[in-house]
Amino acid sequence: MTEYANQAPIDVNIDLSYLNEVSSGSREFIVEMIDMFLEQTPVYFEQLNEAIQAQDWLVVAHLAHKVKPTLAFMGTHSAKDKIAEIEHKARNQEKLEEINLIFNQLYSQKQQLFNNLKEAKESLEGAD
């Protein structure tokens, strides 16, 4: 049994402090970034899933690398760390059997992540 078989769910709480800092508190900018994340990330997750199923490790590493900073911007550090782990394993062709397990764990939490971001966006849009 691998170390991921009984692991707790990934923390998908968000921390927008980084975006707040780089935007100098611009709610409009943060909302735009959340919108972009909510539009692009589901596509990346699906592409990543397809590449993992096809065992195309070069594409897996590339897509994981692409998703990693967006997760960091949204302050989802646990999810970012898991994507970084997938990238590392795929790029270095090591412990490939764990990639699907890690991704499935992350994938199962993605809707909660998206919901958390939608709530944050609504809160920002309602704060005047």
Side-chain angles (χ1 to χ4, degrees):
M1 184 179 300
T2 70
E3 62 184 280
Y4 292 98
N6 296 315
Q7 202 168 37
I10 295 168
D11 178 9
V12 290
N13 290 320
I14 58 171
D15 174 4
L16 298 177
S17 60
Y18 176 75
L19 275 180
N20 194 47
E21 182 181 320
V22 298
S23 70
S24 300
S26 169
R27 289 188 301 225
E28 184 177 302
F29 177 80
I30 296 170
V31 166
E32 285 178 31
M33 292 296 99
I34 291 172
D35 281 341
M36 192 178 330
F37 181 92
L38 291 171
E39 182 179 314
Q40 294 175 349
T41 306
V43 174
Y44 295 150
F45 269 74
E46 292 309 319
Q47 291 172 341
L48 191 53
N49 186 41
E50 290 171 12
I52 290 169
Q53 297 313 310
Q55 298 184 359
D56 188 339
W57 306 122
L58 184 62
V59 172
V60 169
H62 171 75
L63 288 168
H65 181 76
K66 199 173 192 177
V67 172
K68 188 172 54 178
T70 63
L71 293 170
F73 291 150
M74 296 302 145
T76 58
H77 305 293
S78 177
K80 181 210 44 113
D81 291 345
K82 292 299 179 184
I83 284 289
E85 190 173 349
I86 288 171
E87 178 189 7
H88 176 80
K89 289 177 186 306
R91 189 170 312 283
N92 295 308
Q93 300 281 307
E94 61 186 38
K95 298 184 181 178
L96 297 173
E97 70 282 358
E98 293 180 358
I99 290 175
N100 197 46
L101 296 170
I102 298 166
F103 181 74
N104 286 340
Q105 185 185 26
L106 184 60
Y107 194 83
S108 72
Q109 297 291 306
K110 76 177 174 64
Q111 194 57 52
Q112 185 60 50
L113 169 62
F114 297 155
N115 290 343
N116 291 349
L117 284 167
K118 287 175 187 174
E119 288 174 17
K121 177 186 166 190
E122 290 169 6
S123 175
L124 287 165
E125 290 173 330
D128 287 321

